[in-house]
Amino acid sequence: MNLDLSLYLVLDPVQCGGHARALEVTRAALDGGATIVQLRAPEWHKRAWLELALDLLPLTRRHGVPLIINDHIDVALAAGADGVHVGQNDLPPDIARKLLGPQALIGLSVSNAQQVDHANPLGAMIDYVGVGPVFDTPTKPDASAACGIDGLAALCARSLHPTVAIGGIQLHNAADVKRAGPGGIAVVSAICTAADPRLAALRLLESS
Amino acid sequence: MNLDLSLYLVLDPVQCGGHARALEVTRAALDGGATIVQLRAPEWHKRAWLELALDLLPLTRRHGVPLIINDHIDVALAAGADGVHVGQNDLPPDIARKLLGPQALIGLSVSNAQQVDHANPLGAMIDYVGVGPVFDTPTKPDASAACGIDGLAALCARSLHPTVAIGGIQLHNAADVKRAGPGGIAVVSAICTAADPRLAALRLLESS
């Protein structure tokens, strides 16, 4: 599936307000131009992840947009999702690739130059890196220290992989983040908690 | 791999005191007669699960004892473990079976008659059911209501699968639990926090 990181929705169904509302938010975000969707529900058991992923796939497929599963390779396999996103403490990318096959999209979180240097030689083992957090965010209390706009620019320049910036990105800072040169921006609350998620996606995509 | 539920160690590496101590506890418990080991580390990221599972396998294999992974089918696949144990809210047993193949050992938690009645028609899709919690336990704050000794006896009699009792089982109540007729007893703290885990396993196995 085609990889376009321009506007990466990290869908937190708890932030959205549950399964049904997460579907509505996704439908609206896709109408607004979201180019890739990741399901991330750390508070949920896997059966609820699976049920939501199975309901999301018809929506993302209709838009030709990949559905990525955070962390849980088994959920991705069970749902037939398009790939996974793994962090530095999750199962390593080579195992994700082995379990999911050559067609899967695999993303890896990187937070500093050392992690970028470890990711670079992975080549086609991974499809992109998520760079951040750009700003501190209450969503992930266990996240690494924020790299800021200048740090983001340095890490994106250093990476040999396509990059997507993540962490605290909102409409008011999206243009600054984009000028740092990532391949796209990833947002959670900026869309999940927006009163009008379609408009939020549209504005995030157009901000420059 | 042969399934003997007599003494089922649920290995919580945090209760043990970390990776290294979890290996010592397992080695001792196997020497004391533990017949099956499940890795369960809800606080840990998956890379730590994988590393511990890979270090556990030589120990369990030497004793011809299966190593089961709680919940995470992807960790089981990555480590080459012998099976998984899933709860009612985890990925369903048919998906576990499909992903792990016919040789894997698959266990399912059941807490009441309705769940036993749903498990019974699964036949060889699952290899055993974990019945409980028998007693209330602080280890799983989200667990179902305790079934007690009489409830355990009724659920074991109702089940068409091999059964293992779990939840609050300690040396002082192990004999009572066994008289309710399960195929075996599963313990967490009774071995993980024992001063002498080998002796604890030995006594749990011999208690009657």
Side-chain angles (χ1 to χ4, degrees):
Chain A
M1 187 161 288
N2 190 41
L3 180 66
D4 177 350
L5 296 167
S6 305
L7 183 56
Y8 189 129
L9 169 60
V10 178
L11 182 74
D12 182 329
V14 173
Q15 280 197 30
C16 292
H19 181 113
R21 180 68 187 148
L23 292 175
E24 288 174 16
V25 166
T26 304
R27 200 177 285 114
L30 290 167
D31 285 343
T35 57
I36 176 166
V37 178
Q38 177 193 133
L39 173 58
R40 181 177 174 279
E43 296 95 341
W44 277 14
H45 287 282
K46 286 186 188 173
R47 203 170 294 197
W49 284 67
L50 176 61
E51 286 165 4
L52 183 52
L54 290 172
D55 283 349
L56 286 168
L57 276 169
L59 306 182
T60 55
R61 291 275 157 80
R62 198 176 306 150
H63 287 263
V65 158
L67 177 67
I68 305 291
I69 304 295
N70 185 273
D71 182 9
H72 296 316
I73 300 168
D74 47 8
V75 173
L77 287 167
D82 302 300
V84 294
H85 184 92
V86 291
Q88 295 284 325
N89 295 320
D90 299 334
L91 289 175
D94 61 320
I95 285 175
R97 177 62 69 199
K98 193 175 155 203
L99 294 176
L100 291 168
Q103 301 303 317
L105 294 173
I106 296 177
L108 174 67
S109 297
V110 295
S111 296
N112 55 48
Q114 190 188 12
Q115 290 174 358
V116 173
D117 291 347
H118 277 116
N120 279 338
L122 293 178
M125 189 82 81
I126 59 175
D127 295 281
Y128 73 90
V129 289
V131 185
V134 183
F135 307 109
D136 287 318
T137 157
T139 318
K140 286 195 81 173
D142 64 336
S144 308
C147 60
I149 298 276
D150 292 346
L152 172 67
L155 294 174
C156 289
R158 196 177 188 104
S159 177
L160 300 177
H161 291 99
T163 55
V164 60
I166 188 165
I169 301 174
Q170 301 285 347
L171 187 58
H172 70 86
N173 59 28
D176 287 343
V177 171
K178 286 183 182 180
R179 277 192 288 275
I185 55 172
V187 299
V188 192
S189 66
I191 289 180
C192 290
T193 67
D196 185 336
R198 191 193 66 83
L199 193 60
L202 203 65
R203 285 183 174 163
L204 285 162
L205 205 51
E206 289 177 346
S207 65
S208 64
Chain B
M1 186 162 289
N2 190 40
L3 180 66
D4 177 349
L5 296 167
S6 304
L7 182 56
Y8 189 129
L9 169 60
V10 178
L11 184 72
D12 182 328
V14 173
Q15 280 198 29
C16 292
H19 181 114
R21 181 65 189 150
L23 292 175
E24 289 175 15
V25 165
T26 304
R27 199 176 286 115
L30 290 166
D31 284 343
T35 58
I36 177 165
V37 178
Q38 177 193 133
L39 174 57
R40 179 174 176 280
E43 296 95 342
W44 278 14
H45 286 283
K46 285 187 190 171
R47 204 170 293 199
W49 283 67
L50 176 61
E51 287 165 3
L52 183 52
L54 290 172
D55 283 348
L56 286 167
L57 276 169
L59 306 183
T60 54
R61 291 275 157 82
R62 196 176 307 147
H63 287 263
V65 159
L67 178 66
I68 305 292
I69 305 294
N70 184 273
D71 182 7
H72 297 317
I73 300 168
D74 47 8
V75 173
L77 286 167
D82 303 301
V84 295
H85 184 91
V86 292
Q88 295 284 327
N89 295 319
D90 300 333
L91 289 174
D94 61 318
I95 285 177
R97 177 62 68 199
K98 192 175 156 203
L99 294 176
L100 291 167
Q103 300 304 315
L105 295 173
I106 296 177
L108 174 67
S109 296
V110 294
S111 296
N112 55 49
Q114 190 188 12
Q115 291 174 356
V116 172
D117 290 346
H118 278 114
N120 279 339
L122 294 177
M125 188 81 82
I126 60 175
D127 295 283
Y128 72 91
V129 290
V131 185
V134 183
F135 307 110
D136 288 318
T137 158
T139 318
K140 287 195 81 171
D142 64 337
S144 309
C147 60
I149 298 275
D150 291 346
L152 172 67
L155 294 173
C156 289
R158 196 176 188 104
S159 178
L160 300 177
H161 291 98
T163 56
V164 59
I166 189 165
I169 301 173
Q170 302 285 346
L171 186 56
H172 69 84
N173 59 29
D176 286 342
V177 171
K178 286 183 182 180
R179 276 191 289 274
I185 55 173
V187 299
V188 193
S189 66
I191 288 181
C192 291
T193 66
D196 185 338
R198 190 193 65 82
L199 194 60
L202 203 65
R203 284 182 174 162
L204 285 161
L205 206 50
E206 288 177 347
S207 65
S208 64

